[in-house]
Amino acid sequence: MIEFKGVNKWFDKLHVLNQINLMIPKGEVLVICGPSGSGKSTLIRCINKLEPIQKGEIIVNEMSVHKPTTNLTKLRAEIGFIFQQFHLYPHMTALQNIMLAPVNVKKITKVEAEKIARQKLERVGLSEKADSYPAQLSGGQQQRVAIARGLAMSPEIMLFDEPTSALDPEMIGEVLDVMVSLALEGITMCVVTHEMGFAKKVADRVLFMDEGKIIETGKPTDFFDNPKTERAADFISKILTH
Amino acid sequence: MMAFYFSRLVEIFPFFLTGLWMTTKVAFISLITCTLIGFILGMIRASNNVLLKRLVGIYVAFARGTPFVVQIFIVFFIFPEWGLQLEAFPAALLAMAIMGSAFVCEIVASGINSIPKGQWESAASSGLSKMQQLRLVILPQSMKVIVPPLVGQYVLLIKDTSVVSVIGVMELTRVGWVTVVRIPEGLMVFALVGVLYFSISYPLILLSNYLERRMAI
């Protein structure tokens, strides 16, 4: 479903992605972790071309992401992206936020879009916040609206870039609960996170990155309990004591 | 003495009203064209197209960096040499459009640039095209930043219409000049000119202040 073939990326001289080869099959829940600056966010931002790459190829649903002729609108419509800082549109209500892409990209009617939007809000447990503006919502609620917004396009893939890192501790749970239920539904997910509980519960595979390279991959229990590399072990001990 | 002043005033007033009407016409048409062209240029200036961005940058630097009166002279006296011969009125409108759109362009571009990159990314990742991102997500948010200085700029543009008197457009300032050589009450003439300008720009100043207060977060 998602395939990285020898992907390399530089920010000026900094080699942020170093010869990445990766295959993510349909329905897999992949957790990506690693120290900050290791390239994990960049890795998933390349999947929907928020970042260009300099070498290699990424293929999503048989489309070569970085080929100039690729229909980016179609590609992105199939991929939901959740940001650390939510990035809801502040001038629109929760409902309008969710309806925007279905109406303007999929060109469905407003009535139909509103129906879907209300369903998705219910899905994330925020039916009563349909008419609230982002500024009136807590961080956890904003992130759940952002997830509902992503789901409204019925994507086959959801990408999460540290979805709980900007949240107060007591709000992390409500967002993770929504993500767990998505994972159990069989949607393909790539999640950049340090939430070990989430990884252990639903991840099919954990991928550990450092300095732009994939250092180690494995089943979550193997990875967290018996890391193969010293760098991974060192990293795990740090997030455990944290 | 007062009675004499007053009777003179009544006598010349209709002439001033025709000047005010011309000023209003030049100002009104210019505000619309400057806004339209300025928004288009501003969007280009805030875009990722390096070549177009540069070109607009040069245009803006020229239009902002040279006196308006010189620009009018170029349009009215030099353009004919290049094959574009214009009457005073259209020449004035063209010069106003060139100068004003550059200022509007800068206001619009800085408004667009004030929106965090995450908003673009969020809109892009949902599949919206570049134009949709701008129209549906970025511009509605930038208007808060754009509108107050834009209305302030309108006030400046209205006052700048007085410069088009130099090529003979019979607007308010020109009317003042023509009158003052025929009657001796120079102070009264230009006081009247000033009051009439003020009557159209002051409401806009109030509007600008009001918008600035209302849109401050």
PDB file of all heavy atoms in Angstrom, chain A residues 45 48 73 76 79 83 87-92 100-101 104-105 107 149 153, chain B residues 117-119 121-129 132-133 135-137 140-141:
ATOM      1  N   ARG A  45       5.701  12.915   6.494  1.00  0.00           N
ATOM      2  CA  ARG A  45       5.306  14.087   5.697  1.00  0.00           C
ATOM      3  C   ARG A  45       5.629  13.910   4.211  1.00  0.00           C
ATOM      4  O   ARG A  45       5.062  14.600   3.362  1.00  0.00           O
ATOM      5  CB  ARG A  45       5.984  15.360   6.236  1.00  0.00           C
ATOM      6  CG  ARG A  45       5.360  15.851   7.550  1.00  0.00           C
ATOM      7  CD  ARG A  45       6.249  16.870   8.230  1.00  0.00           C
ATOM      8  NE  ARG A  45       6.464  18.037   7.398  1.00  0.00           N
ATOM      9  CZ  ARG A  45       5.653  19.099   7.363  1.00  0.00           C
ATOM     10  NH1 ARG A  45       4.581  19.117   8.138  1.00  0.00           N
ATOM     11  NH2 ARG A  45       5.906  20.121   6.591  1.00  0.00           N
ATOM     12  N   ASN A  48       2.537  12.127   1.847  1.00  0.00           N
ATOM     13  CA  ASN A  48       1.537  12.884   1.075  1.00  0.00           C
ATOM     14  C   ASN A  48       2.144  14.147   0.468  1.00  0.00           C
ATOM     15  O   ASN A  48       1.450  15.113   0.182  1.00  0.00           O
ATOM     16  CB  ASN A  48       0.303  13.209   1.917  1.00  0.00           C
ATOM     17  CG  ASN A  48       0.588  14.228   2.998  1.00  0.00           C
ATOM     18  OD1 ASN A  48       1.734  14.528   3.292  1.00  0.00           O
ATOM     19  ND2 ASN A  48      -0.463  14.782   3.583  1.00  0.00           N
ATOM     20  N   THR A  73      -4.218  15.879  -5.788  1.00  0.00           N
ATOM     21  CA  THR A  73      -5.520  15.996  -5.126  1.00  0.00           C
ATOM     22  C   THR A  73      -6.093  14.619  -4.825  1.00  0.00           C
ATOM     23  O   THR A  73      -6.549  14.349  -3.715  1.00  0.00           O
ATOM     24  CB  THR A  73      -6.488  16.793  -6.019  1.00  0.00           C
ATOM     25  OG1 THR A  73      -5.967  18.099  -6.170  1.00  0.00           O
ATOM     26  CG2 THR A  73      -7.864  16.867  -5.400  1.00  0.00           C
ATOM     27  N   ARG A  76      -3.950  12.865  -2.102  1.00  0.00           N
ATOM     28  CA  ARG A  76      -4.132  13.399  -0.750  1.00  0.00           C
ATOM     29  C   ARG A  76      -5.528  13.130  -0.203  1.00  0.00           C
ATOM     30  O   ARG A  76      -5.721  13.035   1.001  1.00  0.00           O
ATOM     31  CB  ARG A  76      -3.831  14.898  -0.747  1.00  0.00           C
ATOM     32  CG  ARG A  76      -2.347  15.175  -0.808  1.00  0.00           C
ATOM     33  CD  ARG A  76      -2.075  16.636  -0.994  1.00  0.00           C
ATOM     34  NE  ARG A  76      -0.670  16.962  -0.780  1.00  0.00           N
ATOM     35  CZ  ARG A  76      -0.130  18.129  -1.117  1.00  0.00           C
ATOM     36  NH1 ARG A  76      -0.867  19.062  -1.672  1.00  0.00           N
ATOM     37  NH2 ARG A  76       1.146  18.362  -0.886  1.00  0.00           N
ATOM     38  N   ILE A  79      -5.539  10.066   1.801  1.00  0.00           N
ATOM     39  CA  ILE A  79      -4.658  10.025   2.971  1.00  0.00           C
ATOM     40  C   ILE A  79      -5.076  11.097   3.971  1.00  0.00           C
ATOM     41  O   ILE A  79      -5.073  12.282   3.663  1.00  0.00           O
ATOM     42  CB  ILE A  79      -3.190  10.285   2.556  1.00  0.00           C
ATOM     43  CG1 ILE A  79      -2.746   9.314   1.459  1.00  0.00           C
ATOM     44  CG2 ILE A  79      -2.286  10.180   3.775  1.00  0.00           C
ATOM     45  CD1 ILE A  79      -1.362   9.607   0.923  1.00  0.00           C
ATOM     46  N   PHE A  83      -1.971  16.547  12.526  1.00  0.00           N
ATOM     47  CA  PHE A  83      -0.786  17.304  12.934  1.00  0.00           C
ATOM     48  C   PHE A  83      -0.670  17.379  14.455  1.00  0.00           C
ATOM     49  O   PHE A  83      -1.673  17.332  15.165  1.00  0.00           O
ATOM     50  CB  PHE A  83      -0.868  18.733  12.393  1.00  0.00           C
ATOM     51  CG  PHE A  83      -0.879  18.826  10.900  1.00  0.00           C
ATOM     52  CD1 PHE A  83      -2.068  18.719  10.191  1.00  0.00           C
ATOM     53  CD2 PHE A  83       0.297  19.019  10.189  1.00  0.00           C
ATOM     54  CE1 PHE A  83      -2.083  18.813   8.808  1.00  0.00           C
ATOM     55  CE2 PHE A  83       0.288  19.105   8.812  1.00  0.00           C
ATOM     56  CZ  PHE A  83      -0.898  18.999   8.116  1.00  0.00           C
ATOM     57  N   HIS A  87      -4.027  22.231  13.755  1.00  0.00           N
ATOM     58  CA  HIS A  87      -4.260  23.053  12.560  1.00  0.00           C
ATOM     59  C   HIS A  87      -5.705  23.007  12.089  1.00  0.00           C
ATOM     60  O   HIS A  87      -5.973  22.870  10.896  1.00  0.00           O
ATOM     61  CB  HIS A  87      -3.326  22.637  11.411  1.00  0.00           C
ATOM     62  CG  HIS A  87      -1.877  22.864  11.720  1.00  0.00           C
ATOM     63  ND1 HIS A  87      -1.437  23.941  12.440  1.00  0.00           N
ATOM     64  CD2 HIS A  87      -0.778  22.149  11.401  1.00  0.00           C
ATOM     65  CE1 HIS A  87      -0.130  23.877  12.560  1.00  0.00           C
ATOM     66  NE2 HIS A  87       0.303  22.801  11.944  1.00  0.00           N
ATOM     67  N   LEU A  88      -6.636  23.137  12.997  1.00  0.00           N
ATOM     68  CA  LEU A  88      -8.022  23.349  12.582  1.00  0.00           C
ATOM     69  C   LEU A  88      -8.111  24.756  11.995  1.00  0.00           C
ATOM     70  O   LEU A  88      -7.294  25.618  12.313  1.00  0.00           O
ATOM     71  CB  LEU A  88      -8.969  23.227  13.780  1.00  0.00           C
ATOM     72  CG  LEU A  88      -9.111  21.827  14.376  1.00  0.00           C
ATOM     73  CD1 LEU A  88     -10.049  21.866  15.575  1.00  0.00           C
ATOM     74  CD2 LEU A  88      -9.625  20.838  13.345  1.00  0.00           C
ATOM     75  N   TYR A  89      -9.120  24.984  11.136  1.00  0.00           N
ATOM     76  CA  TYR A  89      -9.305  26.316  10.569  1.00  0.00           C
ATOM     77  C   TYR A  89     -10.033  27.170  11.595  1.00  0.00           C
ATOM     78  O   TYR A  89     -11.188  26.909  11.920  1.00  0.00           O
ATOM     79  CB  TYR A  89     -10.099  26.239   9.268  1.00  0.00           C
ATOM     80  CG  TYR A  89      -9.591  25.178   8.312  1.00  0.00           C
ATOM     81  CD1 TYR A  89     -10.438  24.247   7.744  1.00  0.00           C
ATOM     82  CD2 TYR A  89      -8.227  25.106   7.995  1.00  0.00           C
ATOM     83  CE1 TYR A  89      -9.964  23.275   6.875  1.00  0.00           C
ATOM     84  CE2 TYR A  89      -7.750  24.144   7.136  1.00  0.00           C
ATOM     85  CZ  TYR A  89      -8.617  23.228   6.577  1.00  0.00           C
ATOM     86  OH  TYR A  89      -8.148  22.264   5.728  1.00  0.00           O
ATOM     87  N   PRO A  90      -9.370  28.205  12.121  1.00  0.00           N
ATOM     88  CA  PRO A  90      -9.941  28.943  13.258  1.00  0.00           C
ATOM     89  C   PRO A  90     -11.198  29.747  12.920  1.00  0.00           C
ATOM     90  O   PRO A  90     -11.957  30.090  13.807  1.00  0.00           O
ATOM     91  CB  PRO A  90      -8.800  29.879  13.680  1.00  0.00           C
ATOM     92  CG  PRO A  90      -7.921  29.982  12.497  1.00  0.00           C
ATOM     93  CD  PRO A  90      -8.044  28.696  11.745  1.00  0.00           C
ATOM     94  N   HIS A  91     -11.401  30.027  11.623  1.00  0.00           N
ATOM     95  CA  HIS A  91     -12.552  30.848  11.243  1.00  0.00           C
ATOM     96  C   HIS A  91     -13.794  30.006  10.937  1.00  0.00           C
ATOM     97  O   HIS A  91     -14.801  30.527  10.498  1.00  0.00           O
ATOM     98  CB  HIS A  91     -12.204  31.716  10.036  1.00  0.00           C
ATOM     99  CG  HIS A  91     -11.785  30.935   8.815  1.00  0.00           C
ATOM    100  ND1 HIS A  91     -10.694  30.083   8.820  1.00  0.00           N
ATOM    101  CD2 HIS A  91     -12.305  30.864   7.579  1.00  0.00           C
ATOM    102  CE1 HIS A  91     -10.568  29.545   7.632  1.00  0.00           C
ATOM    103  NE2 HIS A  91     -11.539  29.997   6.850  1.00  0.00           N
ATOM    104  N   MET A  92     -13.700  28.696  11.168  1.00  0.00           N
ATOM    105  CA  MET A  92     -14.844  27.833  10.878  1.00  0.00           C
ATOM    106  C   MET A  92     -15.215  27.030  12.129  1.00  0.00           C
ATOM    107  O   MET A  92     -14.358  26.719  12.945  1.00  0.00           O
ATOM    108  CB  MET A  92     -14.478  26.827   9.787  1.00  0.00           C
ATOM    109  CG  MET A  92     -14.157  27.443   8.456  1.00  0.00           C
ATOM    110  SD  MET A  92     -13.793  26.129   7.297  1.00  0.00           S
ATOM    111  CE  MET A  92     -13.190  27.102   5.930  1.00  0.00           C
ATOM    112  N   LEU A 100     -15.435  20.957   4.858  1.00  0.00           N
ATOM    113  CA  LEU A 100     -14.737  21.719   3.811  1.00  0.00           C
ATOM    114  C   LEU A 100     -14.192  20.844   2.680  1.00  0.00           C
ATOM    115  O   LEU A 100     -14.476  21.089   1.504  1.00  0.00           O
ATOM    116  CB  LEU A 100     -13.595  22.543   4.424  1.00  0.00           C
ATOM    117  CG  LEU A 100     -12.915  23.499   3.445  1.00  0.00           C
ATOM    118  CD1 LEU A 100     -13.809  24.682   3.132  1.00  0.00           C
ATOM    119  CD2 LEU A 100     -11.573  23.985   3.977  1.00  0.00           C
ATOM    120  N   ALA A 101     -13.407  19.832   3.032  1.00  0.00           N
ATOM    121  CA  ALA A 101     -12.795  19.015   1.976  1.00  0.00           C
ATOM    122  C   ALA A 101     -13.816  18.146   1.229  1.00  0.00           C
ATOM    123  O   ALA A 101     -13.792  18.103  -0.004  1.00  0.00           O
ATOM    124  CB  ALA A 101     -11.664  18.170   2.549  1.00  0.00           C
ATOM    125  N   ASN A 104     -15.532  20.518  -1.226  1.00  0.00           N
ATOM    126  CA  ASN A 104     -14.714  21.175  -2.242  1.00  0.00           C
ATOM    127  C   ASN A 104     -13.774  20.248  -2.998  1.00  0.00           C
ATOM    128  O   ASN A 104     -13.296  20.595  -4.070  1.00  0.00           O
ATOM    129  CB  ASN A 104     -13.903  22.310  -1.611  1.00  0.00           C
ATOM    130  CG  ASN A 104     -14.805  23.453  -1.173  1.00  0.00           C
ATOM    131  OD1 ASN A 104     -15.294  24.196  -1.995  1.00  0.00           O
ATOM    132  ND2 ASN A 104     -15.048  23.552   0.129  1.00  0.00           N
ATOM    133  N   VAL A 105     -13.473  19.093  -2.435  1.00  0.00           N
ATOM    134  CA  VAL A 105     -12.597  18.153  -3.139  1.00  0.00           C
ATOM    135  C   VAL A 105     -13.411  17.019  -3.743  1.00  0.00           C
ATOM    136  O   VAL A 105     -13.313  16.720  -4.926  1.00  0.00           O
ATOM    137  CB  VAL A 105     -11.512  17.593  -2.191  1.00  0.00           C
ATOM    138  CG1 VAL A 105     -10.632  16.594  -2.930  1.00  0.00           C
ATOM    139  CG2 VAL A 105     -10.666  18.728  -1.631  1.00  0.00           C
ATOM    140  N   LYS A 107     -16.629  17.096  -3.980  1.00  0.00           N
ATOM    141  CA  LYS A 107     -17.774  17.731  -4.653  1.00  0.00           C
ATOM    142  C   LYS A 107     -19.103  17.069  -4.302  1.00  0.00           C
ATOM    143  O   LYS A 107     -19.968  16.914  -5.158  1.00  0.00           O
ATOM    144  CB  LYS A 107     -17.595  17.726  -6.179  1.00  0.00           C
ATOM    145  CG  LYS A 107     -16.247  18.252  -6.653  1.00  0.00           C
ATOM    146  CD  LYS A 107     -16.198  19.764  -6.618  1.00  0.00           C
ATOM    147  CE  LYS A 107     -14.867  20.275  -7.140  1.00  0.00           C
ATOM    148  NZ  LYS A 107     -14.554  21.614  -6.691  1.00  0.00           N
ATOM    149  N   ARG A 149     -12.187  15.309  10.924  1.00  0.00           N
ATOM    150  CA  ARG A 149     -12.003  15.993   9.645  1.00  0.00           C
ATOM    151  C   ARG A 149     -11.268  15.092   8.654  1.00  0.00           C
ATOM    152  O   ARG A 149     -11.613  15.014   7.483  1.00  0.00           O
ATOM    153  CB  ARG A 149     -11.224  17.296   9.872  1.00  0.00           C
ATOM    154  CG  ARG A 149     -11.002  18.100   8.618  1.00  0.00           C
ATOM    155  CD  ARG A 149     -10.372  19.440   8.909  1.00  0.00           C
ATOM    156  NE  ARG A 149      -9.018  19.328   9.428  1.00  0.00           N
ATOM    157  CZ  ARG A 149      -8.221  20.376   9.666  1.00  0.00           C
ATOM    158  NH1 ARG A 149      -8.663  21.601   9.446  1.00  0.00           N
ATOM    159  NH2 ARG A 149      -7.004  20.210  10.132  1.00  0.00           N
ATOM    160  N   MET A 153     -13.139  12.246   4.755  1.00  0.00           N
ATOM    161  CA  MET A 153     -12.786  11.956   3.358  1.00  0.00           C
ATOM    162  C   MET A 153     -12.724  10.453   3.114  1.00  0.00           C
ATOM    163  O   MET A 153     -12.294  10.015   2.051  1.00  0.00           O
ATOM    164  CB  MET A 153     -11.444  12.607   3.007  1.00  0.00           C
ATOM    165  CG  MET A 153     -11.459  14.117   3.032  1.00  0.00           C
ATOM    166  SD  MET A 153     -12.461  14.813   1.713  1.00  0.00           S
ATOM    167  CE  MET A 153     -11.343  14.658   0.313  1.00  0.00           C
TER     168      MET A 153
ATOM    169  N   LYS B 117       2.111  28.510   8.535  1.00  0.00           N
ATOM    170  CA  LYS B 117       2.298  27.529   7.467  1.00  0.00           C
ATOM    171  C   LYS B 117       1.415  26.300   7.668  1.00  0.00           C
ATOM    172  O   LYS B 117       0.976  25.675   6.706  1.00  0.00           O
ATOM    173  CB  LYS B 117       3.779  27.110   7.489  1.00  0.00           C
ATOM    174  CG  LYS B 117       4.298  26.596   6.186  1.00  0.00           C
ATOM    175  CD  LYS B 117       5.836  26.482   6.235  1.00  0.00           C
ATOM    176  CE  LYS B 117       6.310  25.196   5.613  1.00  0.00           C
ATOM    177  NZ  LYS B 117       7.068  24.302   6.501  1.00  0.00           N
ATOM    178  N   GLY B 118       1.145  25.984   8.921  1.00  0.00           N
ATOM    179  CA  GLY B 118       0.318  24.814   9.224  1.00  0.00           C
ATOM    180  C   GLY B 118      -1.064  24.878   8.584  1.00  0.00           C
ATOM    181  O   GLY B 118      -1.637  23.849   8.248  1.00  0.00           O
ATOM    182  N   GLN B 119      -1.596  26.072   8.416  1.00  0.00           N
ATOM    183  CA  GLN B 119      -2.912  26.205   7.793  1.00  0.00           C
ATOM    184  C   GLN B 119      -2.861  25.787   6.326  1.00  0.00           C
ATOM    185  O   GLN B 119      -3.756  25.116   5.832  1.00  0.00           O
ATOM    186  CB  GLN B 119      -3.414  27.649   7.922  1.00  0.00           C
ATOM    187  CG  GLN B 119      -3.788  28.038   9.344  1.00  0.00           C
ATOM    188  CD  GLN B 119      -5.039  27.329   9.825  1.00  0.00           C
ATOM    189  OE1 GLN B 119      -6.021  27.218   9.121  1.00  0.00           O
ATOM    190  NE2 GLN B 119      -4.995  26.813  11.043  1.00  0.00           N
ATOM    191  N   GLU B 121      -0.640  23.697   5.095  1.00  0.00           N
ATOM    192  CA  GLU B 121      -0.366  22.253   5.067  1.00  0.00           C
ATOM    193  C   GLU B 121      -1.625  21.455   5.364  1.00  0.00           C
ATOM    194  O   GLU B 121      -1.905  20.438   4.740  1.00  0.00           O
ATOM    195  CB  GLU B 121       0.723  21.913   6.091  1.00  0.00           C
ATOM    196  CG  GLU B 121       2.073  22.465   5.703  1.00  0.00           C
ATOM    197  CD  GLU B 121       3.174  22.000   6.628  1.00  0.00           C
ATOM    198  OE1 GLU B 121       2.867  21.511   7.734  1.00  0.00           O
ATOM    199  OE2 GLU B 121       4.355  22.131   6.238  1.00  0.00           O
ATOM    200  N   SER B 122      -2.376  21.950   6.345  1.00  0.00           N
ATOM    201  CA  SER B 122      -3.594  21.274   6.731  1.00  0.00           C
ATOM    202  C   SER B 122      -4.576  21.250   5.554  1.00  0.00           C
ATOM    203  O   SER B 122      -5.173  20.219   5.237  1.00  0.00           O
ATOM    204  CB  SER B 122      -4.175  22.032   7.921  1.00  0.00           C
ATOM    205  OG  SER B 122      -5.383  21.523   8.308  1.00  0.00           O
ATOM    206  N   ALA B 123      -4.716  22.388   4.881  1.00  0.00           N
ATOM    207  CA  ALA B 123      -5.628  22.465   3.732  1.00  0.00           C
ATOM    208  C   ALA B 123      -5.106  21.619   2.570  1.00  0.00           C
ATOM    209  O   ALA B 123      -5.870  20.918   1.909  1.00  0.00           O
ATOM    210  CB  ALA B 123      -5.794  23.918   3.300  1.00  0.00           C
ATOM    211  N   ALA B 124      -3.793  21.675   2.355  1.00  0.00           N
ATOM    212  CA  ALA B 124      -3.204  20.906   1.246  1.00  0.00           C
ATOM    213  C   ALA B 124      -3.392  19.416   1.478  1.00  0.00           C
ATOM    214  O   ALA B 124      -3.752  18.670   0.562  1.00  0.00           O
ATOM    215  CB  ALA B 124      -1.720  21.228   1.110  1.00  0.00           C
ATOM    216  N   SER B 125      -3.177  18.973   2.715  1.00  0.00           N
ATOM    217  CA  SER B 125      -3.209  17.533   2.952  1.00  0.00           C
ATOM    218  C   SER B 125      -4.624  16.976   2.867  1.00  0.00           C
ATOM    219  O   SER B 125      -4.811  15.770   2.757  1.00  0.00           O
ATOM    220  CB  SER B 125      -2.553  17.186   4.290  1.00  0.00           C
ATOM    221  OG  SER B 125      -3.280  17.753   5.343  1.00  0.00           O
ATOM    222  N   SER B 126      -5.642  17.847   2.887  1.00  0.00           N
ATOM    223  CA  SER B 126      -6.998  17.330   2.701  1.00  0.00           C
ATOM    224  C   SER B 126      -7.374  17.271   1.226  1.00  0.00           C
ATOM    225  O   SER B 126      -8.484  16.884   0.889  1.00  0.00           O
ATOM    226  CB  SER B 126      -8.008  18.168   3.478  1.00  0.00           C
ATOM    227  OG  SER B 126      -8.153  19.428   2.887  1.00  0.00           O
ATOM    228  N   GLY B 127      -6.455  17.681   0.343  1.00  0.00           N
ATOM    229  CA  GLY B 127      -6.695  17.539  -1.089  1.00  0.00           C
ATOM    230  C   GLY B 127      -7.130  18.808  -1.789  1.00  0.00           C
ATOM    231  O   GLY B 127      -7.388  18.807  -2.984  1.00  0.00           O
ATOM    232  N   LEU B 128      -7.228  19.924  -1.050  1.00  0.00           N
ATOM    233  CA  LEU B 128      -7.626  21.183  -1.691  1.00  0.00           C
ATOM    234  C   LEU B 128      -6.518  21.665  -2.623  1.00  0.00           C
ATOM    235  O   LEU B 128      -5.336  21.534  -2.313  1.00  0.00           O
ATOM    236  CB  LEU B 128      -7.895  22.258  -0.629  1.00  0.00           C
ATOM    237  CG  LEU B 128      -9.071  22.026   0.314  1.00  0.00           C
ATOM    238  CD1 LEU B 128      -9.065  23.069   1.434  1.00  0.00           C
ATOM    239  CD2 LEU B 128     -10.390  22.080  -0.423  1.00  0.00           C
ATOM    240  N   SER B 129      -6.915  22.244  -3.759  1.00  0.00           N
ATOM    241  CA  SER B 129      -5.926  22.788  -4.688  1.00  0.00           C
ATOM    242  C   SER B 129      -5.350  24.075  -4.101  1.00  0.00           C
ATOM    243  O   SER B 129      -5.888  24.634  -3.148  1.00  0.00           O
ATOM    244  CB  SER B 129      -6.578  23.092  -6.031  1.00  0.00           C
ATOM    245  OG  SER B 129      -7.441  24.205  -5.885  1.00  0.00           O
ATOM    246  N   GLN B 132      -7.855  26.804  -3.968  1.00  0.00           N
ATOM    247  CA  GLN B 132      -8.857  26.558  -2.921  1.00  0.00           C
ATOM    248  C   GLN B 132      -8.285  26.828  -1.540  1.00  0.00           C
ATOM    249  O   GLN B 132      -8.962  27.383  -0.673  1.00  0.00           O
ATOM    250  CB  GLN B 132      -9.352  25.120  -2.995  1.00  0.00           C
ATOM    251  CG  GLN B 132     -10.256  24.836  -4.184  1.00  0.00           C
ATOM    252  CD  GLN B 132     -10.650  23.371  -4.262  1.00  0.00           C
ATOM    253  OE1 GLN B 132      -9.821  22.480  -4.022  1.00  0.00           O
ATOM    254  NE2 GLN B 132     -11.897  23.099  -4.589  1.00  0.00           N
ATOM    255  N   GLN B 133      -7.028  26.431  -1.339  1.00  0.00           N
ATOM    256  CA  GLN B 133      -6.388  26.680  -0.042  1.00  0.00           C
ATOM    257  C   GLN B 133      -6.410  28.173   0.255  1.00  0.00           C
ATOM    258  O   GLN B 133      -6.763  28.614   1.339  1.00  0.00           O
ATOM    259  CB  GLN B 133      -4.937  26.198  -0.056  1.00  0.00           C
ATOM    260  CG  GLN B 133      -4.774  24.701  -0.193  1.00  0.00           C
ATOM    261  CD  GLN B 133      -3.347  24.311  -0.563  1.00  0.00           C
ATOM    262  OE1 GLN B 133      -2.380  24.968  -0.178  1.00  0.00           O
ATOM    263  NE2 GLN B 133      -3.196  23.249  -1.319  1.00  0.00           N
ATOM    264  N   ARG B 135      -8.334  30.578  -1.211  1.00  0.00           N
ATOM    265  CA  ARG B 135      -9.659  31.184  -1.187  1.00  0.00           C
ATOM    266  C   ARG B 135     -10.463  30.766   0.047  1.00  0.00           C
ATOM    267  O   ARG B 135     -11.152  31.577   0.651  1.00  0.00           O
ATOM    268  CB  ARG B 135     -10.409  30.762  -2.462  1.00  0.00           C
ATOM    269  CG  ARG B 135     -11.775  31.382  -2.640  1.00  0.00           C
ATOM    270  CD  ARG B 135     -12.261  31.140  -4.069  1.00  0.00           C
ATOM    271  NE  ARG B 135     -12.281  29.723  -4.417  1.00  0.00           N
ATOM    272  CZ  ARG B 135     -13.300  28.899  -4.167  1.00  0.00           C
ATOM    273  NH1 ARG B 135     -14.362  29.341  -3.548  1.00  0.00           N
ATOM    274  NH2 ARG B 135     -13.242  27.630  -4.519  1.00  0.00           N
ATOM    275  N   LEU B 136     -10.367  29.486   0.422  1.00  0.00           N
ATOM    276  CA  LEU B 136     -11.245  28.986   1.477  1.00  0.00           C
ATOM    277  C   LEU B 136     -10.621  29.058   2.862  1.00  0.00           C
ATOM    278  O   LEU B 136     -11.318  29.198   3.853  1.00  0.00           O
ATOM    279  CB  LEU B 136     -11.635  27.526   1.185  1.00  0.00           C
ATOM    280  CG  LEU B 136     -12.372  27.281  -0.138  1.00  0.00           C
ATOM    281  CD1 LEU B 136     -12.408  25.807  -0.465  1.00  0.00           C
ATOM    282  CD2 LEU B 136     -13.779  27.851  -0.047  1.00  0.00           C
ATOM    283  N   VAL B 137      -9.301  28.943   2.919  1.00  0.00           N
ATOM    284  CA  VAL B 137      -8.660  28.836   4.234  1.00  0.00           C
ATOM    285  C   VAL B 137      -7.795  30.056   4.565  1.00  0.00           C
ATOM    286  O   VAL B 137      -7.929  30.635   5.641  1.00  0.00           O
ATOM    287  CB  VAL B 137      -7.802  27.547   4.307  1.00  0.00           C
ATOM    288  CG1 VAL B 137      -7.036  27.478   5.616  1.00  0.00           C
ATOM    289  CG2 VAL B 137      -8.682  26.323   4.133  1.00  0.00           C
ATOM    290  N   PRO B 140      -9.694  34.156   4.024  1.00  0.00           N
ATOM    291  CA  PRO B 140     -10.652  34.558   5.063  1.00  0.00           C
ATOM    292  C   PRO B 140      -9.971  34.904   6.388  1.00  0.00           C
ATOM    293  O   PRO B 140     -10.405  35.809   7.096  1.00  0.00           O
ATOM    294  CB  PRO B 140     -11.546  33.319   5.218  1.00  0.00           C
ATOM    295  CG  PRO B 140     -11.420  32.588   3.940  1.00  0.00           C
ATOM    296  CD  PRO B 140     -10.035  32.852   3.436  1.00  0.00           C
ATOM    297  N   GLN B 141      -8.895  34.195   6.689  1.00  0.00           N
ATOM    298  CA  GLN B 141      -8.176  34.499   7.932  1.00  0.00           C
ATOM    299  C   GLN B 141      -7.323  35.751   7.790  1.00  0.00           C
ATOM    300  O   GLN B 141      -7.158  36.514   8.742  1.00  0.00           O
ATOM    301  CB  GLN B 141      -7.265  33.332   8.323  1.00  0.00           C
ATOM    302  CG  GLN B 141      -8.003  32.067   8.663  1.00  0.00           C
ATOM    303  CD  GLN B 141      -7.047  30.967   9.089  1.00  0.00           C
ATOM    304  OE1 GLN B 141      -6.303  31.101  10.048  1.00  0.00           O
ATOM    305  NE2 GLN B 141      -7.062  29.858   8.373  1.00  0.00           N
TER     306      GLN B 141
END
